[in-house]
Amino acid sequence: MKKSKVVHIISSLDVGGAERVFIDICNLLNEKGHDVTALLIRQKGELSNYLSNGVKKINLDRKFKFDILAFKNLYNLLDEFDIIHVHTRYTFYFVSAVMALKNNKNYKLIFHDHYGKIEVDKKVPFFLKILNKN
């Protein structure tokens, strides 16, 4: 059975709950034999050392909101993966903007929202609806 090539995308791995979940999922998939890449939009952060050695790491090192180089690098990387797993809304906005330029290419996209009491707040923000073509 072919193992999936999965990229997990998050802003950075500073200390926090979403970041810890990100690391746990990356390490677990790597342990199960999947080809896992951790893609960090801004910076590595304190928790990056907790990623298993088998997890590939890419850092776009985005300096500011409209960093064209980071945008271009992500654009060039997306097609390398079978599954794109995006963590947090802020990161999803950035990734969706890049995906929107890919001429309606369909991606296997997982959006992992780490927003507070999601079981209570089930509304999907308007921008998330229009940015996600899938």
Side-chain angles (χ1 to χ4, degrees), residues 14 31-32 42 46 77 85 89 104:
D14 292 325
E31 185 180 300
K32 297 292 182 186
R42 291 188 299 115
E46 293 178 45
L77 287 168
H85 188 150
R89 292 178 184 200
N104 293 323

Side-chain angles (χ1 to χ4, degrees), residues 10-27 38-40 42-53 55-57 59 87-88 114:
I10 198 165
S11 183
S12 71
L13 288 176
D14 292 325
V15 176
E19 293 78 6
R20 189 65 235 184
V21 169
F22 176 95
I23 290 167
D24 290 345
I25 293 172
C26 286
N27 289 345
L39 193 151
L40 309 172
R42 291 188 299 115
Q43 67 228 12
K44 288 197 292 188
E46 293 178 45
L47 296 178
S48 61
N49 294 329
Y50 290 96
L51 287 167
S52 298
N53 289 334
V55 176
K56 297 176 192 92
K57 298 154 191 83
N59 185 2
H87 296 258
T88 72
H114 297 266

Side-chain angles (χ1 to χ4, degrees), residues 19-130:
E19 293 78 6
R20 189 65 235 184
V21 169
F22 176 95
I23 290 167
D24 290 345
I25 293 172
C26 286
N27 289 345
L28 181 62
L29 287 174
N30 176 64
E31 185 180 300
K32 297 292 182 186
H34 294 280
D35 184 347
V36 180
T37 300
L39 193 151
L40 309 172
I41 301 292
R42 291 188 299 115
Q43 67 228 12
K44 288 197 292 188
E46 293 178 45
L47 296 178
S48 61
N49 294 329
Y50 290 96
L51 287 167
S52 298
N53 289 334
V55 176
K56 297 176 192 92
K57 298 154 191 83
I58 299 173
N59 185 2
L60 296 182
D61 199 28
R62 186 173 117 181
K63 302 289 187 214
F64 48 92
K65 193 172 189 174
F66 299 106
D67 188 333
I68 299 300
L69 183 58
F71 195 90
K72 179 182 175 247
N73 288 339
L74 182 59
Y75 182 91
N76 292 332
L77 287 168
L78 285 180
D79 293 337
E80 295 179 20
F81 302 99
D82 300 316
I83 299 170
I84 300 167
H85 188 150
V86 182
H87 296 258
T88 72
R89 292 178 184 200
Y90 173 79
T91 304
F92 182 74
Y93 294 142
F94 182 70
V95 173
S96 294
V98 172
M99 288 175 137
L101 297 177
K102 288 288 201 174
N103 292 329
N104 293 323
K105 178 170 170 70
N106 287 323
Y107 290 94
K108 291 180 184 170
L109 175 69
I110 298 167
F111 170 48
H112 196 143
D113 194 356
H114 297 266
Y115 179 75
K117 295 185 178 186
I118 198 69
E119 70 278 358
V120 173
D121 181 5
K122 295 185 180 190
K123 298 183 301 272
V124 177
F126 175 72
F127 285 110
L128 292 182
K129 288 180 185 177
I130 64 169

